[in-house]
């Protein structure tokens, strides 16, 4: 899906090749340590974004709001995230990676403080919106910085981290929060205190990060909301759209309504189970991405779409027949497909973009992913209020299965138009 590097790009140094003066190098992290630190910060942002998911049921019980309000709280986060992707997605290409990351981290800390103070839905909505802005600003910058620092001996490592950090972080945050709610004091406060402490450590790491993107003019102009894709990247991105929509739409269902389905349909009131619902999807996704990192892109996408389709169908059957075993097994299988699709999709995008195109391309991909993540989930929340959780889940799962079939068709059509020799690996 990507061709050889043009000669003119090979001869001109990229920002990642820039060498700082000796005195600056002594003050900054080494490239391997910086790369590892960025991966940890990426996981932290995603864990923080999923931590409220098991708490939605708690908030709902305390403040007596509907499933529609619940998914609105979820959607407000995505609204802020997509807004940040549209406005701030290319900013680090002009100002540098470190200033944008530190600003996003400060805004994330502010959102944690608001979560701590939240006593009603209004403040919860504000906290989630600010968190969405912070996460959106951080995600593309983290992906670009990882690509800048990618070690020469492991050319696919940045794509691997970009593809696996979201799934690992989402699972870690939801399960960790579920454990704290069930077994620790102050269920709606402690998780945010711990995340704030982690953000302080992350701030120290990012402060010592070497700058990998030289400042260049056009920062103000880059803030104009837009979705721009370089012409030579459009065909590759278009072929990935169906699998991005299918996988992230399923993820949105589990993060927004998953704990409510576990409690409402299967009578599982333990809050650890609420977190485990998300982890059953994202945990296998993370492990699969690690296991398949050497596979060719085409094969990975085909297998992933097939497993997403099969897993969603099994989970749907489990819900219809009230079989917890089938629902859990289907979720695990779908999670394997989710992980493979994230690895192949974001791994491909991180690799094919030139340094000055990375933030913009990842912004477009994340906008597509999070629109799929949020819009269907909000519709599902409204439907659940009127039609019930079971019928909503069944209809939603059927729609995801249809998208998986479309993704398989898109990859088959793409394969017939692309030479099979030299197929890039994930």
């Amino acid at each position: 899906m990507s061709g050889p590097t043009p000669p003119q790009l090979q001869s001109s140094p990229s920002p990642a090749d820039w060498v700082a003066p000796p005195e600056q190098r002594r003050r900054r992290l080494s490239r391997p340590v910086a790369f590892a630190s960025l991966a940890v910060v990426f996981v932290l942002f995603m864990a923080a974004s999923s931590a409220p998911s098991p708490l939605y049921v708690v908030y709902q019980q305390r403040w007596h709001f509907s499933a529609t309000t619940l998914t609105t709280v979820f959607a407000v986060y995505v609204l802020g995230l997509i807004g940040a992707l549209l406005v701030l997605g290319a900013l680090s290409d002009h100002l540098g990676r470190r200033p944008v990351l530190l600003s996003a981290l400060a805004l994330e800390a502010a959102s944690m403080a608001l979560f701590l103070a939240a006593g009603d839905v209004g403040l919860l909505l504000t906290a989630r919106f600010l968190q969405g802005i912070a996460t959106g600003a951080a995600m593309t910058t983290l992906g670009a910085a990882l690509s800048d620092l990618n070690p020469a001996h492991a050319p696919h490592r940045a794509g691997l981290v970009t593809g696996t950090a979201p799934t690992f972080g989402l699972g870690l945050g939801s399960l960790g929060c579920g454990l704290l709610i069930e077994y620790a004091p102050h269920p709606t406060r402690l998780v945010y205190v711990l995340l704030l402490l982690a953000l302080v450590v992350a701030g120290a790491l990012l402060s010592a990060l070497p700058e990998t993107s030289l400042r260049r003019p056009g920062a103000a102009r880059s803030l104009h909301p837009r979705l721009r894709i370089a012409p030579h990247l459009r065909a590759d991105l278009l072929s990935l759209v169906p699998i991005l929509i299918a996988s992230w739409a399923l993820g949105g269902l589990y993060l927004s309504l998953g704990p409510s389905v576990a409690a409402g349909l299967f009578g599982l009131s333990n809050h650890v189970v609420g977190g485990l619902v998300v982890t059953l999807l994202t945990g296998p996704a993370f492990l699969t991405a690690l296991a398949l990192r050497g596979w060719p892109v085409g094969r990975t996408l085909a297998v992933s779409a097939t497993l997403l389709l099969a897993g969603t169908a099994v989970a749907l059957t489990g819900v219809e027949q009230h079989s917890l075993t089938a629902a859990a097994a289907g979720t695990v299988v779908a999670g394997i497909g989710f992980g493979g699709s994230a690895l192949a999709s974001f791994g491909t995008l991180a690799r094919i973009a030139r340094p000055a195109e990375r933030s913009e391309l990842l912004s477009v991909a994340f906008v597509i992913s999070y629109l799929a993540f949020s819009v269907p989930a909000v519709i599902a929340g409204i439907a659940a209020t009127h039609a019930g959780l079971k019928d909503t889940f069944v209809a939603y799962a059927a729609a995801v299965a249809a998208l998986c079939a479309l993704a398989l068709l898109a990859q088959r059509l793409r394969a017939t138009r692309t030479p099979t020799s030299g197929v890039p690996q994930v």
Side-chain angles (χ1 to χ4, degrees):
M1 294 174 69
S2 63
T5 305
Q8 66 271 24
L9 290 180
Q10 294 173 346
S11 60
S12 59
S14 70
D17 297 324
W18 175 69
V19 179
E23 67 273 14
Q24 184 171 344
R25 289 204 301 269
R26 287 194 295 269
R27 294 198 303 267
R28 299 300 178 194
L29 300 174
S30 66
R31 289 174 67 91
V33 174
F35 187 93
S37 299
L38 286 169
V40 171
V41 173
F42 206 148
V43 170
L44 174 60
F45 267 98
M46 301 313 299
S49 74
S50 68
S53 291
L55 279 168
Y56 287 154
V57 175
V58 178
Y59 292 135
Q60 193 174 23
Q61 292 171 347
R62 290 188 177 185
W63 301 336
H64 308 290
F65 54 76
S66 67
T68 301
T69 303
L70 187 154
T71 50
T72 301
V73 174
F74 170 78
V76 160
Y77 160 78
V78 181
L79 179 65
L81 186 147
I82 291 175
L85 291 173
L86 291 173
V87 176
L88 305 175
L91 189 61
S92 74
D93 290 336
H94 299 272
L95 297 183
R97 313 299 188 204
R98 191 171 61 246
V100 175
L101 286 175
L102 287 171
S103 299
L105 198 73
L107 192 58
E108 181 79 7
S111 73
M112 293 298 107
L114 288 176
F115 277 120
L116 277 170
D120 54 36
V121 174
L123 205 52
L124 186 63
L125 287 167
T126 304
R128 275 303 256 174
F129 182 68
L130 288 181
Q131 187 182 36
I133 297 174
T135 305
M139 285 178 71
T140 53
T141 309
L142 286 165
L146 285 165
S147 296
D148 295 341
L149 292 168
N150 196 58
H153 66 276
H156 308 298
R157 186 168 296 174
L160 176 66
V161 174
T162 306
T164 58
T167 53
F168 180 71
L170 290 172
L172 179 66
S174 60
L175 182 59
C177 185
L179 288 168
L180 290 174
I181 295 171
E182 189 66 27
Y183 300 114
H186 311 294
T188 61
R189 301 285 187 269
L190 181 59
V191 62
Y192 302 120
V193 172
L194 295 176
L195 286 170
L196 266 174
L197 294 175
L199 289 169
V200 172
V201 176
L205 291 174
L206 292 180
S207 297
L209 192 72
E211 185 53 73
T212 59
S213 179
L214 299 180
R215 295 177 67 93
R216 60 188 178 96
R221 190 166 57 252
S222 75
L223 297 178
H224 296 164
R226 60 182 177 179
L227 289 175
R228 191 181 71 179
I229 311 169
H232 69 280
L233 301 174
R234 291 173 185 168
D236 286 311
L237 178 62
L238 186 61
S239 69
L240 296 172
V241 167
I243 193 69
L244 285 173
I245 294 176
S247 57
W248 285 91
L250 187 64
L253 174 65
Y254 275 81
L255 263 81
S256 61
L257 292 178
S260 297
V261 170
L265 297 185
F266 294 102
L268 302 173
S269 58
N270 188 298
H271 294 293
V272 177
V273 175
L276 190 60
V277 168
V278 178
T279 307
L280 280 177
L281 183 76
T282 58
F286 169 70
L287 295 175
T288 300
L290 290 178
L292 301 186
R293 63 186 182 276
W295 278 32
V297 168
R299 187 198 307 171
T300 303
L301 288 172
V303 170
S304 299
T306 301
L307 290 175
L308 267 175
L309 176 58
T312 303
V314 172
L316 188 155
T317 302
V319 169
E320 283 194 314
Q321 298 183 356
H322 203 74
S323 170
L324 180 61
T325 301
T331 301
V332 171
V333 173
I336 295 172
F338 189 6
S341 64
L343 169 70
S345 301
F346 289 102
T348 297
L349 297 175
R351 186 181 62 254
I352 63 177
R354 300 165 185 166
E357 300 166 340
R358 284 174 184 150
S359 286
E360 284 188 336
L361 179 62
L362 288 172
S363 293
V364 174
F366 281 129
V367 165
I368 294 169
S369 299
Y370 276 91
L371 281 174
F373 193 63
S374 59
V375 174
V378 173
I379 295 172
I382 296 171
T385 301
H386 298 89
L389 276 174
K390 182 177 179 179
D391 289 343
T392 300
F393 186 93
V394 169
Y396 196 115
V400 169
L403 283 169
C404 293
L406 180 61
L408 279 169
L409 177 61
Q411 289 308 310
R412 184 176 295 275
L413 292 174
R414 182 68 174 154
T416 61
R417 299 174 185 174
T418 305
T420 56
S421 59
V423 177
Q425 291 185 328
V426 181

